[in-house]
Amino acid sequence: MTLRLQRVPSPVGELTLVGGDAGLRAVLFAGEAAPAEAVEAPHPLLDEAARQLAEWFAGARTVFELPLDLRAATAFQRRAWLALAEIPYGATRSYGEQARMLGMPRAARAVGAANGRNPLSIVLPCHRLIGANGALTGFSGGLEVKRALLEHEAATAARAEAAGSSRTRTSPARPRRT
């Protein structure tokens, strides 16, 4: 399988999307290296990912509906990463809360380490994880980007609530994984 990459602008800087026929493999921030085997070339999946990210940044989408290529992840990483999609839009959870949600209440550090390797930022929203004291903690795009993503979600949710209905598109479906 040939991995493709596509660069897209966003309010938090250029993002690099990586994927192919098996699904979306990565959403990378500026400064993060794409896999060496990825070639810059069009792919319908990357076009769809770019469209859904644009909708998310416009406040018109809260959940992504994309096939994900998680084959490189360990079983624990897959569980931790997919659990990120269960954190409601505009909400945050601590690493300890996520560990309890996974049925492993003493594994907060392991959860932090697993999510530190999440290559699908925004799509699997690791920016929603915070420290037990409410502080922002490590994030591949940097803490300013993490803050901007959380502020974006809070503002979008507040606008939808003020309008009296959710104007954002949501889906109970979890991302398909391969």
Side-chain angles (χ1 to χ4, degrees):
M1 174 190 90
T2 302
L3 274 182
R4 309 288 175 86
L5 70 84
Q6 178 177 332
R7 299 178 202 290
V8 296
S10 84
V12 294
E14 184 177 80
L15 300 174
T16 300
L17 309 178
V18 180
D21 294 339
L24 186 65
R25 186 176 289 186
V27 176
L28 305 170
F29 293 104
E32 290 186 288
E37 69 272 21
V39 295
E40 195 157 353
H43 192 281
L45 171 73
L46 299 180
D47 291 340
E48 179 60 18
R51 185 184 69 76
Q52 289 189 29
L53 280 162
E55 289 175 354
W56 189 87
F57 279 111
R61 171 178 291 278
T62 61
V63 173
F64 294 91
E65 301 172 62
L66 296 163
L68 303 178
D69 180 357
L70 302 177
R71 291 176 294 166
T74 67
F76 181 73
Q77 286 171 333
R78 264 191 302 281
R79 283 186 62 215
W81 297 348
L82 291 172
L84 294 168
E86 303 298 322
I87 302 171
Y89 183 87
T92 58
R93 297 286 184 269
S94 71
Y95 294 96
E97 288 171 319
Q98 187 188 25
R100 285 188 292 282
M101 195 170 90
L102 291 169
M104 304 173 75
R106 302 179 87 175
R109 286 183 188 213
V111 164
N115 286 310
R117 295 184 178 272
N118 172 19
L120 289 156
S121 294
I122 305 172
V123 172
L124 293 178
C126 52
H127 61 275
R128 295 180 190 157
L129 288 176
I130 58 173
N133 64 357
L136 298 186
T137 57
F139 185 67
S140 63
L143 294 183
E144 287 305 313
V145 170
K146 184 172 190 165
R147 182 175 289 109
L149 296 174
L150 290 171
E151 288 173 355
H152 164 71
E153 287 189 1
T156 300
R159 281 192 304 273
E161 188 175 318
S165 68
S166 176
R167 61 184 264 282
T168 57
R169 180 177 181 192
T170 61
S171 168
R174 291 177 67 154
R176 187 174 51 130
R177 58 188 163 141
T178 57

